[in-house]
């Protein structure tokens, strides 16, 4: 067999292995995140990166299967196309050179990035028009980052196998004159698969919405009101209290409007001394969340700043009657599809004093993490 045929066969094997790895990582990631196995989502995404959006598994059949197949075919065709062009012979060569390990690996990383780009384009079309224009690219950055991370973490496996196959084939093959190469056919097939992947996402979204709309309304059965177990009014956490600290009964707490950047969120809340005597705040706020049904949710509270907030640390602030302090909440956007969003936020000046609550609508879900800054004085606008 000549070198060109060996290169074609090796490119096919590499592309198929990359596609199988892409499917394995995405399916295993979705299964682990949706199962009852108590594994942190951060660890799952670190070991087996998300290659298919969580919303894929919420589509009606057969769309989850078709989206996985189209995505895998897109990765396979893009990898094969990149490998083919990377091994294109120069004018002085009669046979194509075989790409090395790093070149193959880079082709797989770029192909994964391109597949995620096509998926993101289809997702934008499926959800058009967005509720806010600033949120249009909200899921693009995580998808591209996860795909590129997959290529780096797992793309080396098919690259290593492919480089070994090419090395062995190079020793046993013979030179042969060029008889043409299916680059044009492969390019045409790649364009068709890319179009199918991009178009399948809007079709899947609309089919799912139509199926939900046409589903018959279930006949409600008489039931008793469900029991709800919200967050306690006073935290059970221990907080060493300083002299003349503001208690939950001496203050009123107000919440600001959430603000968003691409993939990030931030929100302020203020504490006002409503007592007739001065009091002191010198700690991080005590924060808890209930979902929209009134049940407490497990959210990791990290004391410190975030992408949208800065934390100056704890300082002693004396609040005269009527004066205020403020703190900020920061978190990364969470995929709330299929999960109950936060419906109530509870805040106290410190852990161990009565909390105050207010209804909110935040994309913070059970198992998520938020950061909270220490109380700081409110600077009056000049």
């Amino acid at each position: 067999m000549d070198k060109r045929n060996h290169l074609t066969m090796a490119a096919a094997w590499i592309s198929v292995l990359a596609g199988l790895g892409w499917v394995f990582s995405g399916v295993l990631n979705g299964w682990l995140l949706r199962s009852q196995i108590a594994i942190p989502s951060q660890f799952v995404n670190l070991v087996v990166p998300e290659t298919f959006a969580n919303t894929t598994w919420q589509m009606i059949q057969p769309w989850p299967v078709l989206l996985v197949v189209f995505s895998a075919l897109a990765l396979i065709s893009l990898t094969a196309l990149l490998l083919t062009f990377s091994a294109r012979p120069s004018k002085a060569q009669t046979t194509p050179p075989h790409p090395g390990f790093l070149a193959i690996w880079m082709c797989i990383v770029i192909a994964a990035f391109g597949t995620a780009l096509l998926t993101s384009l289809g997702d934008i079309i499926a959800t058009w028009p967005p509720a806010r224009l600033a949120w249009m690219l909200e899921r693009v950055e995580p998808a591209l980052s996860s795909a590129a991370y997959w290529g780096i973490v797992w793309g080396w496996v098919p690259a290593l196998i492919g480089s070994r196959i090419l090395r062995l084939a190079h020793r046993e093959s013979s030179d042969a004159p060029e008889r043409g190469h299916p680059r044009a056919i492969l390019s045409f097939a790649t364009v068709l698969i890319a179009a199918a992947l991009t178009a399948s996402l809007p079709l899947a979204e609309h089919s799912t919405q139509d199926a939900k709309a046409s589903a018959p309304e279930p006949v409600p059965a008489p039931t008793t009101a469900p029991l709800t177990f919200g967050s306690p009014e006073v935290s059970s956490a221990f907080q060493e209290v300083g002299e003349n600290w503001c208690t939950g009964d001496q203050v009123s707490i107000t919440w600001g409007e959430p603000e968003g950047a691409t993939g990030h969120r931030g929100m302020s809340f203020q504490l006002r001394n409503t007592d007739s005597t001065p009091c002191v705040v010198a700690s991080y706020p005590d924060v808890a969340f209930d979902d929209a049904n009134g049940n407490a949710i497990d959210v990791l509270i990290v004391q410190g700043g975030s992408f949208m907030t800065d934390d100056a640390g704890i300082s002693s602030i004396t609040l005269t009657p009527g004066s205020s302090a403020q703190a900020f909440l920061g978190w990364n956007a969470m995929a709330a599809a299929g999960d109950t969003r936060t419906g109530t936020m509870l805040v106290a000046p410190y852990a161990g004093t009565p909390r105050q609550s207010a209804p909110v609508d935040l994309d913070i879900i059970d198992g998520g993490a938020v950061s909270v800054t220490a109380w700081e004085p409110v600077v009056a606008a000049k």
Side-chain angles (χ1 to χ4, degrees), residues 137-209:
L137 303 178
E138 184 176 44
R139 291 191 288 187
V140 174
E141 180 188 358
L144 296 180
S145 300
S146 181
Y149 177 70
W150 174 88
I152 294 172
V153 172
W154 291 109
W156 66 270
V157 177
L160 180 62
I161 297 173
S163 64
R164 294 292 180 89
I165 294 174
L166 282 172
R167 189 178 304 171
L168 293 175
H170 184 74
R171 296 174 183 173
E172 300 173 1
S173 60
S174 59
D175 293 336
E178 184 173 353
R179 299 191 301 269
H181 201 279
R183 290 194 187 95
I185 298 176
L186 185 56
S187 300
F188 181 70
T190 302
V191 171
L192 289 181
I193 294 171
L197 174 60
T198 304
S200 62
L201 283 157
L203 293 175
E205 177 70 22
H206 295 157
S207 298
T208 302
Q209 295 299 330

Side-chain angles (χ1 to χ4, degrees), residues 38-317:
I39 301 178
S41 59
Q42 294 87 347
F43 178 78
V44 173
N45 290 327
L46 187 67
V47 177
V48 280
E50 178 185 275
T51 57
F52 310 115
N54 287 330
T55 54
T56 302
W57 316 116
Q58 300 167 10
M59 303 291 183
I60 63 169
Q61 293 294 345
W63 287 110
V65 176
L66 291 177
L67 291 175
V68 169
V69 170
F70 287 149
S71 180
L73 289 176
L75 180 75
I76 291 172
S77 61
L78 284 172
T79 302
L81 188 65
L82 290 169
L83 288 172
T84 301
F85 277 94
S86 68
R88 188 173 184 178
S90 63
K91 294 181 179 180
Q93 294 174 314
T94 59
T95 57
H98 70 274
F101 166 70
L102 292 178
I104 299 173
W105 192 1
M106 183 54 64
C107 287
I108 295 174
V109 172
I110 296 174
F113 190 87
T115 303
L117 194 62
L118 293 171
T119 304
S120 299
L121 177 60
D123 183 67
I124 291 174
I125 298 173
T127 56
W128 188 268
R132 294 185 181 180
L133 193 61
W135 293 359
M136 182 178 67
L137 303 178
E138 184 176 44
R139 291 191 288 187
V140 174
E141 180 188 358
L144 296 180
S145 300
S146 181
Y149 177 70
W150 174 88
I152 294 172
V153 172
W154 291 109
W156 66 270
V157 177
L160 180 62
I161 297 173
S163 64
R164 294 292 180 89
I165 294 174
L166 282 172
R167 189 178 304 171
L168 293 175
H170 184 74
R171 296 174 183 173
E172 300 173 1
S173 60
S174 59
D175 293 336
E178 184 173 353
R179 299 191 301 269
H181 201 279
R183 290 194 187 95
I185 298 176
L186 185 56
S187 300
F188 181 70
T190 302
V191 171
L192 289 181
I193 294 171
L197 174 60
T198 304
S200 62
L201 283 157
L203 293 175
E205 177 70 22
H206 295 157
S207 298
T208 302
Q209 295 299 330
D210 291 343
K212 291 180 179 179
S214 61
E217 291 290 336
V219 179
T223 58
T224 58
L227 295 176
T228 58
F229 300 91
S231 301
E233 294 183 358
V234 178
S235 172
S236 59
F238 173 76
Q239 170 75 57
E240 185 175 352
V241 181
E243 183 179 357
N244 198 30
W245 275 21
C246 300
T247 65
D249 300 325
Q250 294 177 282
V251 301
S252 66
I253 297 175
T254 56
W255 283 257
E257 290 294 326
E259 298 179 0
T262 304
H264 304 281
R265 302 283 187 269
M267 188 180 75
S268 65
F269 51 95
Q270 292 191 2
L271 173 152
R272 180 174 176 269
N273 182 5
T274 57
D275 201 18
S276 59
T277 59
C279 62
V280 176
V281 287
S283 66
Y284 283 91
D286 171 40
V287 178
F289 300 95
D290 292 345
D291 63 20
N293 298 324
N295 295 304
I297 58 177
D298 183 18
V299 177
L300 176 64
I301 307 297
V302 180
Q303 294 179 345
S306 67
F307 181 85
M308 294 191 64
T309 62
D310 294 320
D311 181 31
I314 296 175
S315 61
S316 181
I317 306 169

Side-chain angles (χ1 to χ4, degrees), residues 41-42 229-232 235 237 267 285-292 295-303 329-334 336 339-346 355 360 362-372:
S41 59
Q42 294 87 347
F229 300 91
S231 301
S235 172
M267 188 180 75
D286 171 40
V287 178
F289 300 95
D290 292 345
D291 63 20
N295 295 304
I297 58 177
D298 183 18
V299 177
L300 176 64
I301 307 297
V302 180
Q303 294 179 345
L329 198 70
W331 69 97
N332 293 331
M334 304 180 193
D339 292 294
T340 306
R341 295 164 62 99
T342 292
T344 304
M345 180 175 172
L346 300 90
R355 293 165 167 168
V360 294
L362 305 175
D363 58 347
I364 299 173
I365 61 175
D366 190 40
V370 302
S371 65
V372 61

